[in-house]
Amino acid sequence: MIYIGNHVSVSKGYLAMGKHELSLGGNTFAFFPRNPRGGKSKTVSDEDVSALRQFVADNDFGKLVVHGAYTMNICAAKEEVRANSREMLRDDLLRLQALSGNFYNFHPGCHVGQGTETAVSQIAGALAEVINEVEELSNTPLQNRILLETMAGKGSEVGSSFEELKEIIEQTVSLAGEAVRPKLGVCLDTCHVWDAGYDIKNDLDGVLEKFDSIIGLDNLCAVHLNDSKNDCGSHKDRHEKLGLGIIGADALKNVVLHPLLKNRPFILETPNDDSGYKAEIQTVKDWMNELIFER
Ligand code: ZN
Ligand code: FE
Ligand code: FE
């Protein structure tokens, strides 16, 4: 089964997102629970959330990949920004308790001159604390798995190497205990890993092997499927439409069809409008059908 979808807007509510994605041919999607640049999240009714849950179940959707705001930086140098970001994270996770069984991915953050080591411990500290608070406030275990996104390494971004992501996970576990381990995972962004210097075009197997030996492929829970405008190792983070970038269609097709990435939700974050997304979703489905036909 292939789960493919794109980012949709939350502005018309939760059920509306499911319906919209279905109209584009997708069977998973991503959304920002609040304005992607930060700000207040939309107030949602419990009925709307349950209606979406029913809708995705009825239509055999894969897990959804909710995206934390870009402005959230839990390892910011400024205490005030860190505190606000932590609050945003807690608020998102708390709100999403009702939409259980899905993923919540976010960018680990930018260390803004503090250095990676300090940032990693701030991120782990925030995660451990926020998970604990969410569970206490909602009186239930965390309902959605939190995914750290692989980053391109633009500016002072943390999380552009598998080792850094592993370190965040391990430090969170050492603060919050082993019980937190299955609550954490990674979302692999194809544009970002490529820009960070992992050559998924010429050595996808090698990159996945490396991921497996450092983080473990069980923890690779979702994929952001993007082409890149720049070269491997460029640290730029500029997404391109599938097949129009430097990674190219063949390499992205190999990612989608890789047996070790089976059943993961693939989310398009390509520069497209609805008709563009519809076409890319169809392209990905065609790749899948070709594979079935070849067998
Ligand atoms: Zn992202
Ligand atoms: Fe991404
Ligand atoms: Fe990006």
Side-chain angles (χ1 to χ4, degrees), residues 1-8 17-31 52-65 101-103 222-223 225 256 262-268 277-278 280-282 284-286 288-289 292:
M1 188 61 170
I2 176 104
Y3 298 111
I4 178 74
N6 55 291
H7 269 262
V8 299
M17 292 192 287
K19 288 184 172 169
H20 185 64
E21 188 59 53
L22 191 68
S23 80
L24 299 177
N27 56 1
T28 178
F29 60 89
F31 66 95
L52 175 65
R53 290 186 59 178
Q54 191 59 48
F55 184 87
V56 297
D58 290 346
N59 290 284
D60 299 316
F61 273 41
K63 289 183 194 294
L64 311 181
V65 191
N102 295 290
F103 297 128
V223 177
L225 189 66
V256 169
K262 226 170 140 180
N263 295 328
R264 296 337 189 254
F266 288 86
I267 304 293
L268 299 163
Y277 280 128
K278 200 170 178 176
E280 285 193 343
I281 288 167
Q282 191 53 52
V284 171
K285 285 179 168 174
D286 289 344
M288 201 64 198
N289 289 332
I292 294 163

Short mmCIF file of all heavy atoms in Angstrom, two decimals, residues 1-8 17-31 52-65 101-103 222-223 225 256 262-268 277-278 280-282 284-286 288-289 292:
data_model
loop_
_atom_site.label_atom_id
_atom_site.label_comp_id
_atom_site.label_asym_id
_atom_site.label_seq_id
_atom_site.Cartn_x
_atom_site.Cartn_y
_atom_site.Cartn_z
N MET A 1 0.85 -1.20 0.00
CA MET A 1 0.00 0.00 0.00
C MET A 1 0.88 1.24 0.00
O MET A 1 1.84 1.30 0.75
CB MET A 1 -0.88 -0.02 1.27
CG MET A 1 -1.94 1.06 1.30
SD MET A 1 -3.08 0.89 -0.08
CE MET A 1 -4.35 2.04 0.34
N ILE A 2 0.54 2.20 -0.83
CA ILE A 2 1.29 3.45 -0.81
C ILE A 2 0.41 4.55 -0.21
O ILE A 2 -0.77 4.66 -0.53
CB ILE A 2 1.77 3.85 -2.22
CG1 ILE A 2 2.46 5.21 -2.20
CG2 ILE A 2 0.66 3.89 -3.26
CD1 ILE A 2 3.93 5.13 -2.29
N TYR A 3 0.99 5.29 0.70
CA TYR A 3 0.27 6.42 1.29
C TYR A 3 0.93 7.69 0.79
O TYR A 3 2.10 7.93 1.06
CB TYR A 3 0.31 6.34 2.81
CG TYR A 3 -0.36 5.11 3.34
CD1 TYR A 3 0.36 4.09 3.95
CD2 TYR A 3 -1.75 4.96 3.21
CE1 TYR A 3 -0.28 2.94 4.41
CE2 TYR A 3 -2.39 3.81 3.67
CZ TYR A 3 -1.64 2.81 4.27
OH TYR A 3 -2.27 1.68 4.73
N ILE A 4 0.16 8.45 0.04
CA ILE A 4 0.72 9.66 -0.58
C ILE A 4 -0.26 10.82 -0.40
O ILE A 4 -1.47 10.64 -0.52
CB ILE A 4 1.05 9.42 -2.08
CG1 ILE A 4 1.59 10.67 -2.77
CG2 ILE A 4 -0.13 8.83 -2.85
CD1 ILE A 4 2.99 11.05 -2.41
N GLY A 5 0.27 11.98 -0.14
CA GLY A 5 -0.58 13.16 0.02
C GLY A 5 0.28 14.40 0.09
O GLY A 5 1.48 14.35 -0.18
N ASN A 6 -0.34 15.50 0.45
CA ASN A 6 0.38 16.78 0.46
C ASN A 6 -0.08 17.62 1.64
O ASN A 6 -0.91 17.18 2.43
CB ASN A 6 0.12 17.52 -0.86
CG ASN A 6 -1.35 17.71 -1.14
OD1 ASN A 6 -2.06 16.74 -1.42
ND2 ASN A 6 -1.83 18.92 -1.02
N HIS A 7 0.44 18.81 1.74
CA HIS A 7 0.00 19.74 2.78
C HIS A 7 -1.34 20.34 2.39
O HIS A 7 -1.52 20.77 1.28
CB HIS A 7 1.01 20.89 2.91
CG HIS A 7 2.07 20.62 3.91
ND1 HIS A 7 2.02 21.10 5.19
CD2 HIS A 7 3.21 19.90 3.82
CE1 HIS A 7 3.09 20.69 5.85
NE2 HIS A 7 3.83 19.97 5.06
N VAL A 8 -2.27 20.33 3.32
CA VAL A 8 -3.55 20.99 3.06
C VAL A 8 -3.82 22.04 4.14
O VAL A 8 -3.24 21.99 5.22
CB VAL A 8 -4.72 19.98 2.97
CG1 VAL A 8 -4.51 18.99 1.84
CG2 VAL A 8 -4.91 19.23 4.28
N MET A 17 -10.38 18.96 5.46
CA MET A 17 -9.05 18.59 4.97
C MET A 17 -9.06 17.19 4.37
O MET A 17 -8.48 16.95 3.32
CB MET A 17 -8.03 18.64 6.11
CG MET A 17 -7.73 20.01 6.64
SD MET A 17 -6.29 20.02 7.73
CE MET A 17 -6.92 19.21 9.20
N GLY A 18 -9.71 16.27 5.06
CA GLY A 18 -9.78 14.89 4.57
C GLY A 18 -10.48 14.83 3.23
O GLY A 18 -10.01 14.19 2.29
N LYS A 19 -11.59 15.55 3.12
CA LYS A 19 -12.37 15.55 1.87
C LYS A 19 -11.56 16.15 0.74
O LYS A 19 -11.56 15.65 -0.38
CB LYS A 19 -13.66 16.34 2.06
CG LYS A 19 -14.67 15.62 2.92
CD LYS A 19 -15.98 16.41 2.98
CE LYS A 19 -17.04 15.59 3.69
NZ LYS A 19 -18.23 16.40 4.00
N HIS A 20 -10.85 17.23 1.07
CA HIS A 20 -10.04 17.89 0.05
C HIS A 20 -8.93 16.96 -0.44
O HIS A 20 -8.70 16.82 -1.65
CB HIS A 20 -9.45 19.18 0.59
CG HIS A 20 -8.71 19.97 -0.44
ND1 HIS A 20 -9.33 20.50 -1.55
CD2 HIS A 20 -7.39 20.28 -0.56
CE1 HIS A 20 -8.43 21.10 -2.30
NE2 HIS A 20 -7.24 20.99 -1.72
N GLU A 21 -8.27 16.30 0.50
CA GLU A 21 -7.18 15.39 0.10
C GLU A 21 -7.71 14.27 -0.78
O GLU A 21 -7.08 13.91 -1.78
CB GLU A 21 -6.48 14.82 1.34
CG GLU A 21 -5.23 14.03 1.02
CD GLU A 21 -4.16 14.86 0.29
OE1 GLU A 21 -3.81 15.93 0.79
OE2 GLU A 21 -3.70 14.42 -0.79
N LEU A 22 -8.85 13.73 -0.41
CA LEU A 22 -9.44 12.65 -1.20
C LEU A 22 -9.71 13.12 -2.63
O LEU A 22 -9.47 12.40 -3.59
CB LEU A 22 -10.74 12.16 -0.55
CG LEU A 22 -11.32 10.88 -1.13
CD1 LEU A 22 -10.43 9.67 -0.82
CD2 LEU A 22 -12.74 10.63 -0.61
N SER A 23 -10.15 14.38 -2.76
CA SER A 23 -10.44 14.92 -4.10
C SER A 23 -9.17 15.07 -4.94
O SER A 23 -9.23 15.12 -6.16
CB SER A 23 -11.18 16.26 -3.99
OG SER A 23 -10.24 17.30 -3.71
N LEU A 24 -8.03 15.13 -4.28
CA LEU A 24 -6.76 15.22 -5.02
C LEU A 24 -6.19 13.84 -5.32
O LEU A 24 -5.15 13.71 -5.96
CB LEU A 24 -5.73 16.03 -4.21
CG LEU A 24 -6.08 17.48 -3.89
CD1 LEU A 24 -5.00 18.12 -3.03
CD2 LEU A 24 -6.28 18.29 -5.17
N GLY A 25 -6.84 12.81 -4.79
CA GLY A 25 -6.38 11.44 -5.03
C GLY A 25 -5.47 10.91 -3.93
O GLY A 25 -4.96 9.81 -4.03
N GLY A 26 -5.25 11.70 -2.88
CA GLY A 26 -4.34 11.29 -1.81
C GLY A 26 -5.01 10.43 -0.76
O GLY A 26 -6.24 10.36 -0.68
N ASN A 27 -4.18 9.77 0.06
CA ASN A 27 -4.71 8.98 1.17
C ASN A 27 -3.89 9.17 2.46
O ASN A 27 -3.81 8.30 3.31
CB ASN A 27 -4.81 7.50 0.80
CG ASN A 27 -3.48 6.95 0.33
OD1 ASN A 27 -2.47 7.66 0.30
ND2 ASN A 27 -3.44 5.68 -0.02
N THR A 28 -3.26 10.32 2.55
CA THR A 28 -2.66 10.82 3.78
C THR A 28 -2.50 12.31 3.53
O THR A 28 -2.65 12.78 2.41
CB THR A 28 -1.30 10.18 4.10
OG1 THR A 28 -0.78 10.79 5.31
CG2 THR A 28 -0.27 10.42 3.00
N PHE A 29 -2.19 13.08 4.55
CA PHE A 29 -1.89 14.49 4.31
C PHE A 29 -1.19 15.08 5.51
O PHE A 29 -1.05 14.44 6.57
CB PHE A 29 -3.15 15.30 3.95
CG PHE A 29 -4.23 15.32 4.99
CD1 PHE A 29 -4.26 16.29 5.99
CD2 PHE A 29 -5.25 14.37 4.97
CE1 PHE A 29 -5.26 16.31 6.95
CE2 PHE A 29 -6.27 14.38 5.92
CZ PHE A 29 -6.26 15.36 6.91
N ALA A 30 -0.69 16.28 5.30
CA ALA A 30 -0.06 17.04 6.38
C ALA A 30 -0.82 18.34 6.52
O ALA A 30 -1.46 18.81 5.57
CB ALA A 30 1.40 17.32 6.03
N PHE A 31 -0.77 18.91 7.70
CA PHE A 31 -1.35 20.24 7.88
C PHE A 31 -0.65 20.92 9.05
O PHE A 31 -0.05 20.26 9.90
CB PHE A 31 -2.87 20.18 8.11
CG PHE A 31 -3.30 19.52 9.39
CD1 PHE A 31 -3.57 20.29 10.53
CD2 PHE A 31 -3.46 18.15 9.47
CE1 PHE A 31 -3.98 19.68 11.72
CE2 PHE A 31 -3.87 17.54 10.66
CZ PHE A 31 -4.12 18.30 11.78
N LEU A 52 -13.30 13.77 11.15
CA LEU A 52 -12.11 13.48 10.34
C LEU A 52 -11.59 12.08 10.64
O LEU A 52 -11.24 11.33 9.72
CB LEU A 52 -11.01 14.51 10.57
CG LEU A 52 -9.69 14.18 9.84
CD1 LEU A 52 -9.86 14.23 8.32
CD2 LEU A 52 -8.55 15.10 10.27
N ARG A 53 -11.56 11.72 11.90
CA ARG A 53 -11.08 10.37 12.25
C ARG A 53 -11.90 9.29 11.57
O ARG A 53 -11.36 8.32 11.05
CB ARG A 53 -11.12 10.16 13.78
CG ARG A 53 -10.08 10.99 14.50
CD ARG A 53 -10.05 10.68 15.96
NE ARG A 53 -9.76 9.26 16.20
CZ ARG A 53 -9.65 8.72 17.41
NH1 ARG A 53 -9.82 9.46 18.47
NH2 ARG A 53 -9.38 7.45 17.54
N GLN A 54 -13.22 9.49 11.56
CA GLN A 54 -14.10 8.54 10.90
C GLN A 54 -13.83 8.53 9.39
O GLN A 54 -13.72 7.48 8.77
CB GLN A 54 -15.56 8.93 11.19
CG GLN A 54 -16.57 7.87 10.78
CD GLN A 54 -16.32 6.55 11.50
OE1 GLN A 54 -16.14 6.51 12.71
NE2 GLN A 54 -16.26 5.45 10.74
N PHE A 55 -13.67 9.70 8.84
CA PHE A 55 -13.46 9.85 7.40
C PHE A 55 -12.17 9.16 6.94
O PHE A 55 -12.17 8.44 5.95
CB PHE A 55 -13.42 11.34 7.03
CG PHE A 55 -13.30 11.60 5.55
CD1 PHE A 55 -14.42 11.68 4.74
CD2 PHE A 55 -12.04 11.77 4.96
CE1 PHE A 55 -14.31 11.91 3.37
CE2 PHE A 55 -11.92 11.99 3.59
CZ PHE A 55 -13.06 12.06 2.80
N VAL A 56 -11.08 9.37 7.67
CA VAL A 56 -9.81 8.75 7.24
C VAL A 56 -9.86 7.23 7.42
O VAL A 56 -9.28 6.49 6.64
CB VAL A 56 -8.55 9.37 7.93
CG1 VAL A 56 -8.40 10.84 7.57
CG2 VAL A 56 -8.56 9.18 9.43
N ALA A 57 -10.59 6.77 8.44
CA ALA A 57 -10.74 5.33 8.63
C ALA A 57 -11.58 4.73 7.49
O ALA A 57 -11.20 3.73 6.89
CB ALA A 57 -11.40 5.04 9.98
N ASP A 58 -12.68 5.39 7.15
CA ASP A 58 -13.56 4.90 6.08
C ASP A 58 -12.87 4.86 4.73
O ASP A 58 -13.20 4.06 3.86
CB ASP A 58 -14.81 5.80 5.96
CG ASP A 58 -15.74 5.65 7.15
OD1 ASP A 58 -15.57 4.68 7.92
OD2 ASP A 58 -16.63 6.52 7.32
N ASN A 59 -11.93 5.77 4.53
CA ASN A 59 -11.27 5.88 3.22
C ASN A 59 -9.86 5.28 3.19
O ASN A 59 -9.10 5.55 2.27
CB ASN A 59 -11.26 7.35 2.77
CG ASN A 59 -12.66 7.84 2.42
OD1 ASN A 59 -13.20 7.50 1.37
ND2 ASN A 59 -13.26 8.60 3.32
N ASP A 60 -9.56 4.46 4.20
CA ASP A 60 -8.28 3.76 4.26
C ASP A 60 -7.06 4.67 4.14
O ASP A 60 -6.09 4.33 3.46
CB ASP A 60 -8.20 2.66 3.18
CG ASP A 60 -9.28 1.61 3.38
OD1 ASP A 60 -9.48 1.20 4.55
OD2 ASP A 60 -9.94 1.22 2.39
N PHE A 61 -7.12 5.80 4.77
CA PHE A 61 -5.97 6.70 4.78
C PHE A 61 -4.87 6.11 5.65
O PHE A 61 -5.12 5.36 6.59
CB PHE A 61 -6.36 8.08 5.35
CG PHE A 61 -6.92 9.05 4.34
CD1 PHE A 61 -7.81 8.63 3.36
CD2 PHE A 61 -6.57 10.40 4.39
CE1 PHE A 61 -8.33 9.53 2.44
CE2 PHE A 61 -7.07 11.31 3.47
CZ PHE A 61 -7.96 10.88 2.49
N GLY A 62 -3.64 6.48 5.33
CA GLY A 62 -2.52 6.15 6.20
C GLY A 62 -2.45 7.18 7.32
O GLY A 62 -3.31 8.07 7.44
N LYS A 63 -1.42 7.05 8.13
CA LYS A 63 -1.27 8.01 9.22
C LYS A 63 -1.03 9.41 8.67
O LYS A 63 -0.35 9.59 7.66
CB LYS A 63 -0.08 7.61 10.10
CG LYS A 63 -0.35 6.37 10.95
CD LYS A 63 0.84 6.10 11.83
CE LYS A 63 0.83 4.73 12.45
NZ LYS A 63 -0.24 4.50 13.40
N LEU A 64 -1.58 10.40 9.36
CA LEU A 64 -1.39 11.79 8.97
C LEU A 64 -0.09 12.29 9.59
O LEU A 64 0.38 11.75 10.59
CB LEU A 64 -2.57 12.66 9.46
CG LEU A 64 -3.97 12.10 9.14
CD1 LEU A 64 -5.04 13.06 9.66
CD2 LEU A 64 -4.15 11.86 7.64
N VAL A 65 0.50 13.31 8.95
CA VAL A 65 1.77 13.85 9.45
C VAL A 65 1.58 15.35 9.71
O VAL A 65 1.80 16.17 8.83
CB VAL A 65 2.91 13.60 8.44
CG1 VAL A 65 4.26 13.92 9.08
CG2 VAL A 65 2.91 12.16 7.93
N GLY A 101 -3.14 8.49 17.16
CA GLY A 101 -2.64 7.47 16.23
C GLY A 101 -1.92 8.02 15.01
O GLY A 101 -1.68 7.30 14.05
N ASN A 102 -1.59 9.30 15.04
CA ASN A 102 -0.93 9.91 13.88
C ASN A 102 0.47 10.41 14.25
O ASN A 102 0.98 10.08 15.32
CB ASN A 102 -1.82 11.03 13.33
CG ASN A 102 -3.12 10.47 12.78
OD1 ASN A 102 -3.13 9.81 11.76
ND2 ASN A 102 -4.22 10.68 13.49
N PHE A 103 1.06 11.17 13.35
CA PHE A 103 2.40 11.70 13.60
C PHE A 103 2.36 13.23 13.71
O PHE A 103 1.53 13.88 13.07
CB PHE A 103 3.36 11.33 12.46
CG PHE A 103 3.57 9.85 12.29
CD1 PHE A 103 3.39 9.25 11.04
CD2 PHE A 103 3.96 9.05 13.36
CE1 PHE A 103 3.60 7.89 10.87
CE2 PHE A 103 4.17 7.68 13.19
CZ PHE A 103 3.99 7.10 11.94
N ALA A 222 8.04 8.53 8.63
CA ALA A 222 7.36 9.24 7.55
C ALA A 222 8.40 9.87 6.64
O ALA A 222 9.56 10.04 7.03
CB ALA A 222 6.45 10.32 8.11
N VAL A 223 7.97 10.19 5.40
CA VAL A 223 8.88 10.79 4.43
C VAL A 223 8.26 12.06 3.87
O VAL A 223 7.07 12.07 3.53
CB VAL A 223 9.17 9.80 3.26
CG1 VAL A 223 10.07 10.45 2.21
CG2 VAL A 223 9.80 8.50 3.79
N LEU A 225 8.42 14.02 0.65
CA LEU A 225 8.90 13.70 -0.70
C LEU A 225 9.04 14.97 -1.54
O LEU A 225 8.05 15.52 -2.03
CB LEU A 225 7.92 12.72 -1.36
CG LEU A 225 8.35 12.11 -2.68
CD1 LEU A 225 9.57 11.21 -2.51
CD2 LEU A 225 7.20 11.33 -3.31
N VAL A 256 10.40 6.04 -3.14
CA VAL A 256 9.00 5.64 -2.93
C VAL A 256 8.86 4.12 -2.95
O VAL A 256 8.09 3.54 -2.18
CB VAL A 256 8.11 6.29 -4.01
CG1 VAL A 256 6.72 5.69 -4.00
CG2 VAL A 256 8.03 7.80 -3.80
N LYS A 262 8.51 0.78 2.93
CA LYS A 262 7.14 0.35 2.70
C LYS A 262 6.19 0.86 3.80
O LYS A 262 6.57 0.88 4.98
CB LYS A 262 7.12 -1.17 2.73
CG LYS A 262 6.34 -1.79 1.61
CD LYS A 262 6.59 -3.28 1.60
CE LYS A 262 5.32 -4.02 1.29
NZ LYS A 262 5.55 -5.46 1.29
N ASN A 263 4.99 1.24 3.40
CA ASN A 263 3.92 1.63 4.31
C ASN A 263 4.12 2.96 5.04
O ASN A 263 3.32 3.32 5.89
CB ASN A 263 3.64 0.55 5.36
CG ASN A 263 3.10 -0.70 4.70
OD1 ASN A 263 2.41 -0.63 3.69
ND2 ASN A 263 3.44 -1.85 5.26
N ARG A 264 5.19 3.67 4.71
CA ARG A 264 5.36 4.99 5.32
C ARG A 264 4.46 5.99 4.60
O ARG A 264 4.28 5.88 3.39
CB ARG A 264 6.79 5.51 5.16
CG ARG A 264 7.98 4.82 5.80
CD ARG A 264 7.73 3.98 6.97
NE ARG A 264 8.97 3.54 7.60
CZ ARG A 264 9.46 2.31 7.52
NH1 ARG A 264 8.85 1.38 6.82
NH2 ARG A 264 10.58 2.00 8.16
N PRO A 265 3.92 6.99 5.31
CA PRO A 265 3.24 8.06 4.60
C PRO A 265 4.26 8.97 3.89
O PRO A 265 5.27 9.33 4.48
CB PRO A 265 2.50 8.82 5.71
CG PRO A 265 3.17 8.45 6.98
CD PRO A 265 3.84 7.11 6.77
N PHE A 266 4.01 9.27 2.63
CA PHE A 266 4.86 10.17 1.84
C PHE A 266 4.10 11.49 1.65
O PHE A 266 2.99 11.50 1.11
CB PHE A 266 5.18 9.56 0.47
CG PHE A 266 6.14 8.42 0.54
CD1 PHE A 266 5.70 7.12 0.79
CD2 PHE A 266 7.50 8.63 0.38
CE1 PHE A 266 6.61 6.06 0.88
CE2 PHE A 266 8.41 7.57 0.46
CZ PHE A 266 7.96 6.28 0.71
N ILE A 267 4.71 12.56 2.10
CA ILE A 267 4.05 13.87 2.02
C ILE A 267 4.80 14.77 1.04
O ILE A 267 6.00 15.00 1.19
CB ILE A 267 4.03 14.55 3.42
CG1 ILE A 267 3.36 13.65 4.47
CG2 ILE A 267 3.36 15.92 3.33
CD1 ILE A 267 1.88 13.41 4.28
N LEU A 268 4.07 15.29 0.06
CA LEU A 268 4.66 16.22 -0.90
C LEU A 268 4.70 17.62 -0.29
O LEU A 268 3.69 18.11 0.23
CB LEU A 268 3.81 16.26 -2.17
CG LEU A 268 3.67 14.94 -2.93
CD1 LEU A 268 2.50 15.01 -3.91
CD2 LEU A 268 4.97 14.62 -3.67
N TYR A 277 -0.42 19.23 -7.29
CA TYR A 277 -0.37 18.13 -6.32
C TYR A 277 -1.11 16.90 -6.85
O TYR A 277 -0.64 15.78 -6.71
CB TYR A 277 -0.97 18.57 -4.98
CG TYR A 277 0.00 19.38 -4.15
CD1 TYR A 277 -0.36 20.61 -3.61
CD2 TYR A 277 1.29 18.91 -3.90
CE1 TYR A 277 0.54 21.36 -2.86
CE2 TYR A 277 2.19 19.65 -3.15
CZ TYR A 277 1.81 20.87 -2.63
OH TYR A 277 2.70 21.60 -1.89
N LYS A 278 -2.26 17.17 -7.46
CA LYS A 278 -3.06 16.08 -8.00
C LYS A 278 -2.23 15.28 -9.01
O LYS A 278 -2.21 14.05 -8.99
CB LYS A 278 -4.31 16.69 -8.68
CG LYS A 278 -5.42 15.72 -8.86
CD LYS A 278 -6.69 16.45 -9.30
CE LYS A 278 -7.80 15.44 -9.52
NZ LYS A 278 -9.06 16.08 -9.86
N GLU A 280 1.09 15.15 -9.21
CA GLU A 280 2.21 14.45 -8.56
C GLU A 280 1.74 13.21 -7.80
O GLU A 280 2.41 12.19 -7.79
CB GLU A 280 2.97 15.40 -7.61
CG GLU A 280 3.83 16.40 -8.37
CD GLU A 280 4.83 17.14 -7.48
OE1 GLU A 280 4.67 17.14 -6.25
OE2 GLU A 280 5.76 17.73 -8.04
N ILE A 281 0.57 13.32 -7.18
CA ILE A 281 0.01 12.16 -6.48
C ILE A 281 -0.21 11.03 -7.49
O ILE A 281 0.12 9.87 -7.25
CB ILE A 281 -1.30 12.54 -5.74
CG1 ILE A 281 -0.96 13.40 -4.52
CG2 ILE A 281 -2.09 11.30 -5.34
CD1 ILE A 281 -2.15 14.11 -3.88
N GLN A 282 -0.73 11.40 -8.66
CA GLN A 282 -0.96 10.41 -9.71
C GLN A 282 0.37 9.80 -10.18
O GLN A 282 0.47 8.59 -10.39
CB GLN A 282 -1.73 11.04 -10.89
CG GLN A 282 -2.24 10.03 -11.90
CD GLN A 282 -3.06 8.90 -11.26
OE1 GLN A 282 -4.00 9.14 -10.51
NE2 GLN A 282 -2.68 7.64 -11.52
N VAL A 284 3.10 9.38 -8.48
CA VAL A 284 3.58 8.45 -7.47
C VAL A 284 2.78 7.14 -7.51
O VAL A 284 3.33 6.05 -7.41
CB VAL A 284 3.54 9.10 -6.06
CG1 VAL A 284 3.81 8.09 -4.97
CG2 VAL A 284 4.55 10.25 -5.99
N LYS A 285 1.47 7.27 -7.71
CA LYS A 285 0.64 6.06 -7.82
C LYS A 285 1.03 5.25 -9.05
O LYS A 285 1.04 4.01 -9.01
CB LYS A 285 -0.84 6.45 -7.91
CG LYS A 285 -1.46 6.90 -6.61
CD LYS A 285 -2.90 7.25 -6.92
CE LYS A 285 -3.74 7.46 -5.70
NZ LYS A 285 -5.09 7.94 -6.11
N ASP A 286 1.35 5.93 -10.13
CA ASP A 286 1.77 5.24 -11.36
C ASP A 286 3.06 4.46 -11.12
O ASP A 286 3.21 3.34 -11.60
CB ASP A 286 1.97 6.23 -12.51
CG ASP A 286 0.65 6.81 -13.02
OD1 ASP A 286 -0.41 6.22 -12.70
OD2 ASP A 286 0.67 7.83 -13.72
N MET A 288 4.02 3.16 -8.41
CA MET A 288 3.64 2.00 -7.62
C MET A 288 2.99 0.94 -8.50
O MET A 288 3.31 -0.25 -8.39
CB MET A 288 2.65 2.48 -6.54
CG MET A 288 2.54 1.58 -5.38
SD MET A 288 4.11 1.49 -4.51
CE MET A 288 3.84 -0.01 -3.59
N ASN A 289 2.11 1.36 -9.39
CA ASN A 289 1.42 0.41 -10.25
C ASN A 289 2.38 -0.27 -11.21
O ASN A 289 2.23 -1.45 -11.51
CB ASN A 289 0.31 1.11 -11.04
CG ASN A 289 -0.83 1.49 -10.13
OD1 ASN A 289 -1.06 0.85 -9.10
ND2 ASN A 289 -1.54 2.54 -10.48
N ILE A 292 3.97 -3.11 -9.44
CA ILE A 292 3.08 -4.25 -9.30
C ILE A 292 3.01 -5.00 -10.63
O ILE A 292 3.06 -6.22 -10.69
CB ILE A 292 1.67 -3.80 -8.83
CG1 ILE A 292 1.77 -3.24 -7.40
CG2 ILE A 292 0.68 -4.94 -8.89
CD1 ILE A 292 0.59 -2.40 -6.97
#
